[in-house]
Amino acid sequence: CSRAILLNSGQVERDGPAGQIVSAYNQAGAPGEGEVVWEDSDPSVASDRLRLRSARILVDGKVTSDVPIDRGAVLEYEFAVQGAKGSVTSSIHLFDKQGVWVLCSGPGSEDLGAGVYRHRVEFPANFFNDGLYTLSVILLTNVTQIQVHKREAISFNVYETGVGREEYGGVIHGCVRPVLPWQTGPLPPAAPRP
């Protein structure tokens, strides 16, 4: 089928290309509001040196758990440093809806003193595939000493918008599906074979 409708309480909520409608249906069950703020008393996000305070997903500067596939998304998380100045960094681990580890990334270490800090990273448009993603956040000292490891800290749903899929309506497999700069060009005529 190339077209579908999404019903809500017997009323047509959406009508359009099947891929977009299925993604809208799947997105309706996405957990969260795009932001998590942990209580100061939550021991799962604190050590004697570092404490994870919050994490959020933003699209166009607004907090959301729904990410259109053709828009960039920002992850930012805030953390507190306690005590003397020392080497601090963080890492994120991104998992897809099947639990496949998609990537691990983080900023370089910095000497940070007591205070509150934010790490922020932008994922480009057309990087993710459609579906649910979950992020774990790790706070470290001295590059390798894990102070806080918050598994499944935040999740978000990437949904198909149909942009760039005019020719193909089937499933596109893979953890990510970046739009790459493909080129096509003619080859010079082949030399005659002896």
Side-chain angles (χ1 to χ4, degrees):
C1 294
S2 62
R3 296 196 62 79
I5 59 171
L6 177 61
L7 299 175
N8 186 353
S9 301
Q11 301 295 315
V12 175
E13 190 171 293
R14 291 192 64 179
D15 179 357
Q20 290 179 29
I21 302 306
V22 169
S23 290
Y25 171 78
N26 289 335
Q27 142 193 351
E33 297 298 319
E35 182 172 35
V36 179
V37 178
W38 290 278
E39 298 291 328
D40 290 343
S41 59
D42 186 343
S44 73
V45 292
S47 71
D48 59 345
R49 177 94 169 99
L50 302 173
R51 185 173 66 78
L52 184 60
R53 295 170 46 118
S54 63
R56 68 192 57 82
I57 302 293
L58 300 118
V59 173
D60 297 328
K62 296 179 182 163
V63 173
T64 183
S65 62
D66 298 321
V67 177
I69 204 164
D70 61 341
R71 303 297 272 279
V74 171
L75 163 68
E76 55 182 39
Y77 46 95
E78 295 169 3
F79 59 96
V81 176
Q82 303 169 73
K85 192 173 192 177
S87 174
V88 175
T89 192
S90 67
S91 177
I92 59 167
H93 296 182
L94 178 69
F95 299 89
D96 73 3
K97 61 189 166 207
Q98 289 143 354
V100 173
W101 198 339
V102 177
L103 64 81
C104 173
S105 185
S109 293
E110 294 184 61
D111 283 337
L112 301 178
V116 178
Y117 299 88
R118 175 182 296 146
H119 280 165
R120 176 182 170 99
V121 64
E122 184 169 349
F123 295 98
N126 298 304
F127 174 77
F128 297 107
N129 205 340
D130 60 337
L132 184 67
Y133 288 86
T134 303
L135 278 158
S136 295
V137 178
I138 299 124
L139 302 177
L140 306 102
T141 54
N142 302 318
V143 182
T144 60
Q145 296 173 340
I146 296 173
Q147 299 292 315
V148 175
H149 186 170
K150 185 62 176 173
R151 289 176 173 81
E152 300 177 1
I154 194 164
S155 61
F156 59 97
N157 189 65
V158 177
Y159 65 93
E160 183 62 64
T161 61
V163 173
R165 288 186 50 118
E166 292 80 15
E167 295 178 354
Y168 181 70
V171 174
I172 298 177
H173 298 283
C175 297
V176 293
R177 67 176 223 213
V179 174
L180 301 174
W182 288 90
Q183 298 177 358
T184 302
L187 294 176
R193 293 185 181 196

